[in-house]
mmCIF file of all heavy atoms in Angstrom:
data_model
loop_
_atom_site.group_PDB
_atom_site.id
_atom_site.type_symbol
_atom_site.label_atom_id
_atom_site.label_comp_id
_atom_site.label_asym_id
_atom_site.label_seq_id
_atom_site.Cartn_x
_atom_site.Cartn_y
_atom_site.Cartn_z
ATOM 1 N N ILE O 65 -116.956 -51.973 -164.478
ATOM 2 C CA ILE O 65 -115.903 -51.269 -165.209
ATOM 3 C C ILE O 65 -115.164 -52.267 -166.089
ATOM 4 O O ILE O 65 -114.719 -53.318 -165.620
ATOM 5 C CB ILE O 65 -114.905 -50.592 -164.248
ATOM 6 C CG1 ILE O 65 -115.536 -49.334 -163.636
ATOM 7 C CG2 ILE O 65 -113.624 -50.231 -164.951
ATOM 8 C CD1 ILE O 65 -115.683 -48.186 -164.611
ATOM 9 N N LYS O 66 -115.036 -51.920 -167.393
ATOM 10 C CA LYS O 66 -114.260 -52.729 -168.331
ATOM 11 C C LYS O 66 -113.113 -51.877 -168.892
ATOM 12 O O LYS O 66 -112.821 -50.805 -168.379
ATOM 13 C CB LYS O 66 -115.164 -53.260 -169.444
ATOM 14 C CG LYS O 66 -116.260 -54.200 -168.959
ATOM 15 C CD LYS O 66 -115.706 -55.483 -168.385
ATOM 16 C CE LYS O 66 -116.807 -56.438 -167.980
ATOM 17 N NZ LYS O 66 -116.283 -57.708 -167.421
ATOM 18 N N ALA O 67 -112.489 -52.364 -169.966
ATOM 19 C CA ALA O 67 -111.307 -51.694 -170.507
ATOM 20 C C ALA O 67 -111.612 -50.285 -170.991
ATOM 21 O O ALA O 67 -110.844 -49.356 -170.760
ATOM 22 C CB ALA O 67 -110.717 -52.524 -171.639
ATOM 23 N N SER O 68 -112.724 -50.091 -171.690
ATOM 24 C CA SER O 68 -113.026 -48.779 -172.251
ATOM 25 C C SER O 68 -114.467 -48.351 -172.042
ATOM 26 O O SER O 68 -114.913 -47.368 -172.617
ATOM 27 C CB SER O 68 -112.724 -48.778 -173.760
ATOM 28 O OG SER O 68 -113.519 -49.761 -174.422
ATOM 29 N N TYR O 69 -115.193 -49.080 -171.226
ATOM 30 C CA TYR O 69 -116.590 -48.736 -170.983
ATOM 31 C C TYR O 69 -117.016 -49.269 -169.614
ATOM 32 O O TYR O 69 -116.253 -49.950 -168.909
ATOM 33 C CB TYR O 69 -117.489 -49.302 -172.078
ATOM 34 C CG TYR O 69 -117.533 -50.816 -172.137
ATOM 35 C CD1 TYR O 69 -118.489 -51.537 -171.430
ATOM 36 C CD2 TYR O 69 -116.601 -51.530 -172.895
ATOM 37 C CE1 TYR O 69 -118.532 -52.927 -171.481
ATOM 38 C CE2 TYR O 69 -116.628 -52.909 -172.954
ATOM 39 C CZ TYR O 69 -117.597 -53.606 -172.250
ATOM 40 O OH TYR O 69 -117.632 -54.966 -172.287
ATOM 41 N N GLY O 70 -118.226 -48.949 -169.237
ATOM 42 C CA GLY O 70 -118.747 -49.417 -167.954
ATOM 43 C C GLY O 70 -120.263 -49.318 -167.928
ATOM 44 O O GLY O 70 -120.906 -48.969 -168.921
ATOM 45 N N PHE O 71 -120.845 -49.635 -166.771
ATOM 46 C CA PHE O 71 -122.284 -49.553 -166.583
ATOM 47 C C PHE O 71 -122.571 -48.820 -165.279
ATOM 48 O O PHE O 71 -121.806 -48.915 -164.311
ATOM 49 C CB PHE O 71 -122.923 -50.945 -166.556
ATOM 50 C CG PHE O 71 -122.984 -51.604 -167.901
ATOM 51 C CD1 PHE O 71 -121.914 -52.361 -168.370
ATOM 52 C CD2 PHE O 71 -124.109 -51.463 -168.707
ATOM 53 C CE1 PHE O 71 -121.976 -52.972 -169.612
ATOM 54 C CE2 PHE O 71 -124.168 -52.071 -169.952
ATOM 55 C CZ PHE O 71 -123.100 -52.833 -170.407
ATOM 56 N N PHE O 82 -125.304 -48.073 -169.969
ATOM 57 C CA PHE O 82 -123.961 -48.184 -170.551
ATOM 58 C C PHE O 82 -123.355 -46.797 -170.700
ATOM 59 O O PHE O 82 -124.049 -45.825 -171.008
ATOM 60 C CB PHE O 82 -124.059 -48.859 -171.917
ATOM 61 C CG PHE O 82 -122.789 -48.812 -172.725
ATOM 62 C CD1 PHE O 82 -121.834 -49.807 -172.602
ATOM 63 C CD2 PHE O 82 -122.556 -47.765 -173.609
ATOM 64 C CE1 PHE O 82 -120.670 -49.762 -173.344
ATOM 65 C CE2 PHE O 82 -121.397 -47.713 -174.356
ATOM 66 C CZ PHE O 82 -120.450 -48.719 -174.225
ATOM 67 N N PHE O 83 -122.042 -46.693 -170.489
ATOM 68 C CA PHE O 83 -121.324 -45.459 -170.805
ATOM 69 C C PHE O 83 -119.934 -45.804 -171.332
ATOM 70 O O PHE O 83 -119.314 -46.787 -170.902
ATOM 71 C CB PHE O 83 -121.223 -44.527 -169.591
ATOM 72 C CG PHE O 83 -120.221 -44.952 -168.553
ATOM 73 C CD1 PHE O 83 -118.937 -44.433 -168.539
ATOM 74 C CD2 PHE O 83 -120.560 -45.877 -167.576
ATOM 75 C CE1 PHE O 83 -118.009 -44.822 -167.587
ATOM 76 C CE2 PHE O 83 -119.642 -46.271 -166.614
ATOM 77 C CZ PHE O 83 -118.358 -45.745 -166.615
ATOM 78 N N HIS O 84 -119.473 -45.018 -172.283
ATOM 79 C CA HIS O 84 -118.137 -45.190 -172.848
ATOM 80 C C HIS O 84 -117.201 -44.186 -172.200
ATOM 81 O O HIS O 84 -117.616 -43.104 -171.785
ATOM 82 C CB HIS O 84 -118.155 -44.990 -174.370
ATOM 83 C CG HIS O 84 -116.901 -45.454 -175.046
ATOM 84 N ND1 HIS O 84 -115.821 -44.619 -175.218
ATOM 85 C CD2 HIS O 84 -116.549 -46.658 -175.565
ATOM 86 C CE1 HIS O 84 -114.851 -45.285 -175.831
ATOM 87 N NE2 HIS O 84 -115.267 -46.521 -176.047
ATOM 88 N N PHE O 85 -115.920 -44.545 -172.080
ATOM 89 C CA PHE O 85 -114.957 -43.663 -171.441
ATOM 90 C C PHE O 85 -114.833 -42.326 -172.173
ATOM 91 O O PHE O 85 -114.382 -41.341 -171.584
ATOM 92 C CB PHE O 85 -113.587 -44.349 -171.366
ATOM 93 C CG PHE O 85 -113.475 -45.322 -170.218
ATOM 94 C CD1 PHE O 85 -114.557 -45.587 -169.399
ATOM 95 C CD2 PHE O 85 -112.279 -45.974 -169.966
ATOM 96 C CE1 PHE O 85 -114.459 -46.471 -168.343
ATOM 97 C CE2 PHE O 85 -112.159 -46.863 -168.909
ATOM 98 C CZ PHE O 85 -113.253 -47.116 -168.090
#
Side-chain angles (χ1 to χ4, degrees):
I65 285 288
K66 297 295 183 180
S68 60
Y69 65 91
F71 287 87
F82 170 89
F83 75 96
H84 193 271
F85 279 4

